Amino acid sequence: MIQIKMLKKAMKEGYIVPAFNFANFEILKGLIDACVETKSPVILQVSESAINYFGDELLKGLILGIRKIKLPISIHLDHGANMQVVKRAISLGFDSVMIDGSTLPFKDNVKITKQVVKFAHSKGVSVEGELGVLAISNDDGLLSDGERFTDPKQAKEFVELTGVDSLAISIGTNHGIKKYVGKPKIRYDILSKIEKVIPNTPIVLHGASLVEQKYIEKINVNGGDIEYAVGNANLLKNAYKTHISKINMDTDFRLAYTSEIREYMVENPTKYCPRAYGKAGVLSVKECAKNRIVKVCHSNDKA
Ligand code: G3H
Ligand code: 13P
Ligand code: ZN
């Protein structure tokens, strides 16, 4: 179980393993180039919609190619919704799966997670579970009804009952561009309580993108129309000192890629070769990933 070894090593040595989603080939290339240059281990994540986008056979081929790279790399199913997609990912050669039962009642989340752990472990595949529901937050807490921070007591019970290898928690971050209203805040106080009750379980932070203004600005000055938003900039500076051993980032690479391509298109109206603008996108993703590896994860030279 390569991923769990990677996470335990990170937890022991005080760094974070970057878990980067790839939505297309160019983003994958930028991410891999960044990890090779910085000598960083990496978890390359694929959502169910990304599996559908690539198609099973092409994705299988890509995974075989990824295996040739001389770095600790784990291929991971992000936000698996049910046993069917878990089985599909394992049959495609994934090393690890997430089962996301976070919106289910506790009892049902335990049930599905336990089933997935039993199946995945029998195939030598590790499992990430999730407890707590991510949402937009402000200083007072989460903004939407029904969404909740992770309860530390329940976290202990959940890990014991399910046997998950790592646990994703809700402490203020959110998926996508819009994470906070008002002053951004991550509830490190809740994290400390969780760490105390599950000291040997690597913790996963979803919704970790920094959402830098420079990307939104570049999109908008080049014909885009994206709402300005504030992400996790500065909030994750010391996360590597905690038990957060895996951080998930996707939005940052979507922004890095799209902003550069928009600019390229505007500045080069006569060009139409996809490799020309694709390359601009790859380089932008690479720079963004290198920054996250060095400044947030401290995983450079840990391969
Ligand atoms: O957390 C979710 C990821 O950002 C995946 O999004 O389903 O659009 O690939 P997606
Ligand atoms: P971001 O939207 O902050 O990139 O989070 C991605 C994520 O959590 C994927 O699971
Ligand atoms: Zn996520």
Side-chain angles (χ1 to χ4, degrees):
M1 292 198 208
I2 175 171
Q3 183 175 131
I4 201 63
K5 269 194 206 141
M6 288 163 72
L7 297 184
K8 291 254 167 148
K9 181 173 181 289
M11 199 157 104
K12 197 164 140 222
E13 295 181 19
Y15 63 94
I16 299 173
V17 181
F20 295 154
N21 288 63
F22 60 98
N24 66 7
F25 175 76
E26 282 72 21
I27 292 179
L28 174 65
K29 183 161 167 48
L31 297 177
I32 289 176
D33 289 351
C35 294
V36 169
E37 269 185 31
T38 55
K39 299 189 183 69
S40 173
V42 67
I43 295 166
L44 293 171
Q45 313 198 122
V46 202
S47 63
E48 185 175 7
S49 43
I51 299 178
N52 292 337
Y53 178 78
F54 285 106
D56 291 33
E57 292 308 317
L58 273 185
L59 183 58
K60 248 196 234 174
L62 273 181
I63 292 174
L64 287 181
I66 292 169
R67 300 272 183 234
K68 306 265 184 222
I69 298 160
K70 290 188 175 29
L71 280 180
I73 299 182
S74 165
I75 313 286
H76 178 78
L77 171 69
D78 193 27
H79 292 285
N82 49 48
M83 185 60 102
Q84 202 183 354
V85 68
V86 163
K87 287 187 172 169
R88 183 177 175 200
I90 293 176
S91 77
L92 293 175
F94 285 40
D95 303 295
S96 155
V97 293
M98 174 186 189
I99 176 70
D100 180 358
S102 61
T103 55
L104 300 172
F106 182 78
K107 203 161 80 14
D108 298 337
N109 189 2
V110 167
K111 190 173 167 203
I112 178 76
T113 306
K114 212 170 151 178
Q115 283 165 356
V116 166
V117 167
K118 191 169 174 217
F119 178 77
H121 282 185
S122 76
K123 306 279 179 197
V125 166
S126 58
V127 180
E128 172 184 330
E130 177 159 357
L131 190 68
V133 187
L134 271 59
I136 299 170
S137 60
N138 72 5
D139 263 10
D140 292 330
L142 296 176
L143 295 186
S144 324
D145 279 352
E147 274 136 3
R148 55 190 187 277
F149 293 128
T150 306
D151 173 347
K153 266 196 217 124
Q154 275 196 342
K156 180 175 161 58
E157 212 183 328
F158 186 79
V159 168
E160 284 172 359
L161 289 172
T162 60
V164 278
D165 301 292
S166 59
L167 184 69
I169 59 168
S170 167
I171 51 169
T173 61
N174 191 33
H175 290 111
I177 290 195
K178 199 157 184 181
K179 301 184 185 302
Y180 304 102
V181 167
K183 204 167 172 273
K185 180 175 176 183
I186 292 181
R187 294 288 305 271
Y188 283 105
D189 57 319
I190 299 179
L191 173 66
S192 307
K193 288 185 184 140
I194 297 172
E195 286 176 345
K196 286 200 181 89
V197 291
I198 48 168
N200 300 314
T201 305
I203 289 170
V204 180
L205 191 67
H206 285 245
S209 279
L210 304 191
V211 190
E212 283 175 277
Q213 298 298 296
K214 65 176 183 185
Y215 295 126
I216 301 184
E217 230 159 78
K218 203 187 265 196
I219 289 175
N220 288 347
V221 298
N222 288 293
D225 185 12
I226 294 195
E227 197 186 345
Y228 281 88
V230 193
N232 293 309
N234 295 320
L235 292 181
L236 295 175
K237 261 194 326 233
N238 292 317
Y240 73 102
K241 297 177 185 165
T242 71
H243 285 197
I244 293 172
S245 310
K246 172 178 182 276
I247 54 161
N248 286 17
M249 290 180 168
D250 185 350
T251 300
D252 277 351
F253 308 120
R254 295 178 182 208
L255 291 173
Y257 180 72
T258 302
S259 58
E260 203 61 24
I261 288 182
R262 271 196 176 274
E263 187 181 71
Y264 184 95
M265 296 285 192
V266 169
E267 287 179 358
N268 299 276
T270 61
K271 298 274 203 299
Y272 55 90
C273 173
R275 283 194 303 270
Y277 57 80
K279 188 170 176 186
V282 169
L283 290 176
S284 177
V285 169
K286 179 172 127 182
E287 284 319 303
C288 181
K290 278 170 71 175
N291 173 283
R292 306 310 186 249
I293 286 166
V294 173
K295 301 273 190 226
V296 178
C297 296
H298 298 258
S299 58
N300 44 303
D301 297 315
K302 299 290 185 187

